[in-house]
């Protein structure tokens, strides 16, 4: 096999050899060893999401990519006669609006510029102006740009208005700490293949037990019913429907590596070093970041395209790919950009090499950043 490029993307990511090796076992879904892996996964993830009161929460893993878990959380937790307010400053906020609309929930959005954080004061105003809103959904790190939203301030505004908060923490979970118990929020959604550095195929929702218990038969979907999925785990520790056994085995291995690295704090520290190495190096080459440093999460960085007629993303991408690095296209409509991820089994020295490779690539392509 050709050497694969290092993935500087928001997932799937470059994983550790031990994580991939854990997939070499074919577990039966009822095998006691596999049931124990599922229990370890659920307990570990619950502690990461609600460290101050894990007993008040339960982790409900779900087959599929992260979006499946977001859809399950919205569909199960927002009552059919409830109303969802989504805070939108990027594609993942818009996706929650789409999901809730499609499943027939009443949904409203407060929309902010993609280069601006969501504004807690605007959230408070929206909630004061519409008492029928039961739930608020927000994205922790908007992967569209790499922006970190002010989660604690939003949570305070939602709690003060007496409403319920659901957090899409997908691209931050495991690297940027949060505590669902004290925020407070009812649900944290994330997946196996982002900052926890597992392989793709599984998401999860860490949900407040007291909120989930009211939600029997509320979901619009059988396979995306979190209440039913949780009930099966509580009953006999097994998955409803065929579990992605290899993905789960890899994820448990990845969770052990996360703990060994110092948990969320240690993982976040490495990503911050990665991000600083990347941003400093690219700025020295003349690149500009979309976001000021104060808004930038150490997850993925959006760079403005170099100006001039000789730059084409496809050529830049292909040259970097040949040199061993996979980057990501931009996702903004207003400004042409590209993105580079800081997450996965990637070290500051890799980002340093990446910056040097970018310098050579631009020279070869005759582009001035
Ligand atoms: C990755 C991601 C998701 C889920 O995307 P999938 O492609 O379904 O895994 C949801 N929200 C955010 C913020 C993300 O970064």
């Amino acid at each position: 096999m050709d050497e694969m490029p290092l993935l500087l993307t928001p997932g799937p990511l470059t994983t550790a050899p031990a994580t991939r090796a854990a997939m070499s076992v074919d577990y039966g879904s009822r095998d006691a060893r596999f049931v124990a892996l599922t229990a370890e996964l659920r307990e570990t993830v619950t502690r990461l999401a609600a460290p101050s009161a894990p007993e008040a929460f339960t982790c409900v893993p779900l087959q599929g990519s992260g979006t499946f878990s977001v859809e399950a959380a919205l569909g199960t937790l927002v009552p059919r006669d409830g109303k969802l307010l989504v805070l939108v400053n990027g594609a993942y906020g818009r996706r929650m609006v789409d999901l809730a609309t499609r499943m027939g929930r009443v949904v409203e959005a407060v929309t902010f510029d993609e280069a601006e954080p969501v504004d807690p004061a605007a959230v408070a105003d929206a909630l004061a102006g519409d008492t029928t809103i039961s739930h608020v959904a927000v994205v922790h790190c908007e992967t569209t740009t790499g922006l970190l939203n002010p989660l604690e301030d939003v949570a305070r505004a939602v709690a003060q208005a007496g409403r319920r908060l659901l957090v899409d923490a997908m691209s931050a979970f495991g690297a940027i700490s949060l505590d669902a118990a004290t925020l407070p929020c009812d649900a944290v959604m994330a997946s196996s293949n982002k900052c926890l550095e597992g392989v793709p195929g599984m998401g999860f929702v860490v949900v407040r037990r007291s909120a989930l218990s009211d939600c029997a038969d509320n979901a619009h979907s059988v396979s995306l019913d979190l209440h039913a999925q949780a009930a099966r785990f509580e009953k006999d520790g097994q998955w409803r429907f065929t579990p992605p056994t290899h993905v789960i085995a890899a994820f448990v291995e990845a969770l052990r590596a996360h703990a060994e690295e110092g948990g969320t704090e240690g993982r976040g520290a490495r990503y911050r070093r990665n991000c600083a190495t990347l941003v400093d190096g690219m700025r020295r080459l003349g690149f500009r970041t979309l976001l000021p440093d104060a808004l930038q999460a150490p997850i993925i960085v959006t760079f403005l395209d170099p100006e001039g007629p000789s730059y084409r993303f496809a050529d830049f991408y292909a040259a970097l790919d040949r040199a061993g690095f996979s980057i990501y296209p931009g996702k903004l409509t207003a400004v042409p950009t590209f993105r580079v991820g800081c997450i996965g089994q990637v070290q500051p020295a890799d980002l340093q090499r990446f910056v040097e490779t970018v310098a050579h690539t631009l020279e070869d392509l005759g582009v001035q950043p």
Side-chain angles (χ1 to χ4, degrees):
M1 189 177 71
D2 288 348
E3 183 131 353
M4 296 300 286
L6 208 61
L7 300 178
L8 302 181
T9 62
L13 307 167
T14 298
T15 55
T19 297
R20 296 193 298 274
M23 290 190 287
S24 66
V25 181
D26 297 315
Y27 290 105
S29 59
R30 297 161 164 270
D31 187 306
R33 286 162 290 202
F34 176 70
V35 173
L37 288 179
T38 298
E40 181 177 340
L41 179 168
R42 293 182 60 229
E43 186 177 329
T44 306
V45 170
T46 305
R47 285 181 189 286
L48 290 176
S52 71
E55 67 288 346
F57 289 80
T58 185
C59 170
V60 191
L62 194 72
Q63 297 90 334
S65 84
T67 303
F68 292 58
S69 286
V70 176
E71 186 160 2
L74 300 183
T76 305
L77 297 171
V78 179
R80 294 190 186 203
D81 60 357
K83 180 169 181 177
L84 179 67
L85 178 73
V86 184
L87 312 182
V88 177
N89 60 342
Y92 293 98
R94 283 197 294 278
R95 185 175 297 174
M96 289 200 280
V97 174
D98 290 345
L99 293 169
T101 303
R102 178 66 73 92
M103 65 183 76
R105 295 295 185 278
V106 179
V107 53
E108 189 126 354
V110 189
T111 303
F112 304 87
D113 190 275
E114 291 193 328
E116 299 288 339
V118 305
D119 175 8
V123 178
D125 284 351
L127 295 178
D130 184 348
T131 54
T132 66
I133 293 167
S134 57
H135 288 71
V136 177
V138 67
V139 179
H140 193 185
C141 168
E142 227 329 329
T143 322
T144 312
T145 51
L147 186 152
L148 190 66
N149 276 318
L151 181 59
E152 285 174 13
D153 295 340
V154 168
R156 201 169 304 120
V158 174
Q160 274 169 5
R163 320 301 166 82
R164 302 288 185 166
L165 180 66
L166 312 174
V167 180
D168 172 355
M170 205 72 57
S171 63
F173 192 78
I176 300 172
S177 62
L178 94 189
D179 188 344
T182 56
L183 255 180
C185 72
D186 277 358
V188 175
M189 297 87 93
S191 75
S192 54
N193 65 280
K194 290 195 176 172
C195 302
L196 293 171
E197 299 186 357
V199 305
M202 197 205 91
F204 52 84
V205 185
V206 179
V207 55
R208 192 180 288 277
R209 288 178 184 278
S210 60
L212 186 63
S213 64
D214 292 340
C215 297
D217 300 322
N218 186 53
H220 59 297
S221 157
V222 171
S223 57
L224 299 179
D225 182 345
L226 274 192
H227 186 274
Q229 183 89 344
R232 183 66 201 265
F233 288 123
E234 299 288 330
K235 178 172 157 250
D236 60 9
Q238 291 188 23
W239 290 64
R240 260 186 342 152
F241 317 136
T242 305
T245 49
H246 302 79
V247 172
I248 293 153
F251 189 43
V252 170
E253 188 60 38
L255 287 170
R256 293 172 186 163
H258 180 261
E260 263 166 43
E261 192 174 358
T264 299
E265 204 171 309
R267 176 77 34 106
R270 173 163 59 87
Y271 288 175
R272 283 193 293 279
R273 290 196 298 276
N274 285 351
C275 186
T277 306
L278 172 69
V279 169
D280 292 351
M282 293 291 275
R283 283 184 180 150
R284 275 200 300 277
L285 298 183
F287 283 96
R288 287 195 301 142
T289 58
L290 174 76
L291 300 174
D293 294 348
L295 298 179
Q296 177 71 59
I299 306 295
I300 188 165
V301 181
T302 301
F303 293 99
L304 304 186
D305 277 1
E307 283 168 19
S310 44
Y311 175 81
R312 281 183 53 231
F313 177 76
D315 298 339
F316 187 51
Y317 177 91
L320 290 173
D321 184 74
R322 281 193 298 276
F325 297 99
S326 183
I327 63 167
Y328 222 56
K331 209 172 184 165
L332 298 181
T333 37
V335 223
T337 56
F338 65 94
R339 289 178 291 172
V340 183
C342 313
I343 62 179
Q345 272 300 294
V346 176
Q347 310 296 327
D350 296 313
L351 274 311
Q352 190 56 50
R353 270 194 313 115
F354 171 75
V355 171
E356 289 158 16
T357 305
V358 169
H360 297 144
T361 303
L362 292 178
E363 236 173 73
D364 293 348
L365 296 174
V367 174
Q368 284 282 337

